[in-house]
Amino acid sequence: MALLEVAANSVASALAAQAGGAGRVELCASLDGGGVTPSHATIMRARDGVAIPLYVLIRPRAGDFVYTDGELAVMLDDIAHCRSLGCDGVAVGALTPDGEVDREACARFVAAASGMGVTFHRAFDLVADPVAALDALIDLGFERVLTSGGMPSAIAGAPGLSRLVAQAGERITVMPGAGITPENIAALRQATGAREFHASATRRLASAMRRIPADALGMGAGETRSDVELVRALVAAIA
């Protein structure tokens, strides 16, 4: 049986992931922008509310993955914070300006996360040489890499993902993510040989506001939240 990790953008999404049968949650904020580190209270309440493994995205801002010393300090503090709250792991990553894994920064991340699991997130999809980058992550001690195979979706990246899964063997888990749905996850599993998958499983909820003006400001729409039934359908498709 394969495992589904749900990218949860709120405590409510984390609870929906658990209720739907997900095997792990990756908690984040601002999922529409690629995700950033969630707030202290969000992490704390998600940890209190879910019994399945909880990983937290460590990303101080949107944009590229080349970080200043100040940003690295924030990331290390956030990792320590997640440890103090009893989180099971973190998802993190950093690159050099030339598109290589930033070994120095990542070694600091792994050391700071001692006792927790560490996933290298989709910064991997911007590396210049995926083969060399995967070997670097294995050397650094990452347990998992989240990737679409360098393509806009995991389905489009399936050939590259299959090669990465073969290269990884039992040394690191390659977890496809991006554009995964109940309709394509089984085919993706077959095409890649992957054993873990990552999806947000979200639906747009109706707005809770009774008074919605023309909304030229774009602030009146309902929230986007992981959906229990979508999670269940994804889990069933890879059971």
Side-chain angles (χ1 to χ4, degrees), residues 8 10-21 25 45-46 48-52 226 228:
S10 65
V11 176
S13 287
L15 293 171
Q18 177 171 263
V25 165
R45 292 189 177 276
D48 288 344
V50 299
I52 60 177
S226 296
V228 173

Side-chain angles (χ1 to χ4, degrees), residues 94-96 99-104 106 120 124 127 133 136-137 140:
L95 302 178
T96 70
E100 297 176 344
V101 172
D102 186 334
R103 284 178 172 266
E104 181 179 350
C106 288
F120 193 94
F124 187 86
V127 299
L137 297 183
L140 286 161

Side-chain angles (χ1 to χ4, degrees), residues 8 28 58 63 98 106-107 110 121 130 157 160 198 203-204 211 214 219-220 223 232 234-235 237:
C28 64
I58 305 297
D98 293 323
C106 288
V110 172
H121 57 46
H198 175 97
R203 292 192 193 277
R204 173 74 75 177
R211 179 189 179 276
M219 298 190 297
E223 67 170 297
R232 282 184 181 144
L234 284 159
V235 171

